[in-house]
Amino acid sequence: MIATFNSIRKIYYTILAVVGVPVNLLAIVILSRGKCGLSTCTTHYLVAMATADLLFVIADVILRRFSYYYFQGSFLDINSVCSVIGVLCRAAADCSVWFTVTFTFDRFVAICCQKLKTKYCTKKTAAVVLATTCILFCFKNIPFYFVYQPVEIIRNVPWECLLNPSYFIEPGWVGFDWFGTVLTPLLPFTLILLLNALTVRHILVTSRVRKGLRGQSKGENHSDPEMESRRKSVILLFTISDSCETCWPSLCE
């Protein structure tokens, strides 16, 4: 039973790597060319999310999972190396989720806060927000390097990584673990749901008002480019948000 389960997991992670790496690379290349009809601000966020997803696949699937399934006993199993990989996995997962939050907030501002839109929804602001988010979560995950202990020591070289039992009982580590759980995924998913709900509510209210002003409430059928643009923005936003929420269980495994 265990052997069958491991075989299924091995196939799953192999497919994930084979598909995930080229798909994210292709997305980064296409988006970076800036010919998708998206604003530079939106493009920045999408490229950042694709990059974070790519780094997660490389760190977690290729470096960590493949080390177990295909390269047992390689240098990737040295305690210091697999500890660094563990930190990279967590940082990439955090960045992937929180880049989605920042993108959701950017779309909320663009659709619901017209006065703030011109100042916030810019290429420069997007770069600052993404860089700050990345730096903060890289520093936040550094302590995880110190929670791993070696499974065995061979010729004075510590091998493999196992969570230190003190991580589950010492108040400092327990508090740190709870802080991490709240920060990702509880808080970001709450923010995503809240911002999406506010965005949809604003669009529905605005739509009724615009239909009334354009005479559509009397049965006339006029196209509204502004509402069509917002509709496409919401579809893009919901697609990305739902993908993030669906994929999180595999990210935090």
Side-chain angles (χ1 to χ4, degrees):
M1 184 68 180
I2 297 178
T4 302
F5 181 67
N6 284 334
S7 297
I8 294 174
R9 285 167 62 90
K10 181 179 179 180
I11 294 172
Y12 168 75
Y13 286 117
T14 301
I15 295 175
L16 187 61
V18 170
V19 175
V21 171
V23 166
N24 282 294
L25 278 174
L26 185 61
I28 293 170
V29 172
I30 293 175
L31 290 168
S32 298
R33 296 178 63 186
K35 297 181 180 180
C36 298
L38 302 172
S39 66
T40 55
C41 179
T42 299
T43 300
H44 264 53
Y45 284 108
L46 295 180
V47 169
M49 285 186 282
T51 302
D53 291 343
L54 175 62
L55 292 176
F56 179 81
V57 172
I58 292 174
D60 184 76
V61 178
I62 297 179
L63 296 181
R64 189 155 72 99
R65 310 288 182 174
F66 279 18
S67 173
Y68 174 76
Y69 291 115
Y70 297 106
F71 310 115
Q72 289 189 7
S74 69
F75 77 97
L76 295 174
D77 288 330
I78 297 176
N79 180 260
S80 58
V81 176
C82 61
S83 296
V84 171
I85 293 174
V87 172
L88 292 177
C89 291
R90 293 175 182 272
D94 283 345
C95 287
S96 178
V97 173
W98 277 94
F99 285 168
T100 305
V101 176
T102 58
F103 173 71
T104 304
F105 181 74
D106 175 84
R107 291 300 85 198
F108 168 76
V109 172
I111 295 174
C112 305
C113 309
Q114 294 299 310
K115 292 183 179 180
L116 183 60
K117 175 181 177 180
T118 55
K119 294 182 178 180
Y120 184 83
C121 300
T122 63
K123 179 180 178 180
K124 181 179 179 180
T125 300
V128 171
V129 169
L130 292 170
T132 302
T133 302
C134 181
I135 292 171
L136 288 177
F137 281 103
C138 285
F139 277 110
K140 173 256 180 184
N141 286 288
I142 288 178
F144 279 108
Y145 179 85
F146 303 99
V147 304
Y148 296 105
Q149 67 177 23
V151 175
E152 57 183 348
I153 298 178
I154 303 176
R155 297 178 182 178
N156 295 323
V157 178
W159 287 88
E160 300 186 25
C161 291
L162 182 69
L163 282 174
N164 195 310
S166 63
Y167 179 76
F168 302 99
I169 56 177
E170 290 187 3
W173 284 120
V174 172
F176 181 75
D177 182 67
W178 273 101
F179 171 73
T181 302
V182 172
L183 199 59
T184 309
L186 298 182
L187 181 58
F189 285 174
T190 301
L191 291 174
I192 289 173
L193 291 174
L194 176 61
L195 291 171
N196 284 344
L198 292 174
T199 301
V200 171
R201 178 179 177 276
H202 176 82
I203 289 177
L204 292 176
V205 172
T206 304
S207 178
R208 295 194 197 100
V209 174
R210 291 177 67 88
K211 283 182 179 179
L213 294 175
R214 295 172 66 89
Q216 290 191 1
S217 59
K218 296 181 180 180
E220 298 178 19
N221 186 21
H222 298 296
S223 61
D224 190 339
E226 177 66 21
M227 294 308 301
E228 182 66 18
S229 175
R230 293 186 179 186
R231 185 183 70 83
K232 292 180 180 179
S233 294
V234 168
I235 291 175
L236 175 64
L237 177 62
F238 277 24
T239 300
I240 293 174
S241 299
D242 290 344
S243 297
C244 176
E245 294 174 2
T246 302
C247 293
W248 173 251
S250 64
L251 293 179
C252 64
E253 183 181 335

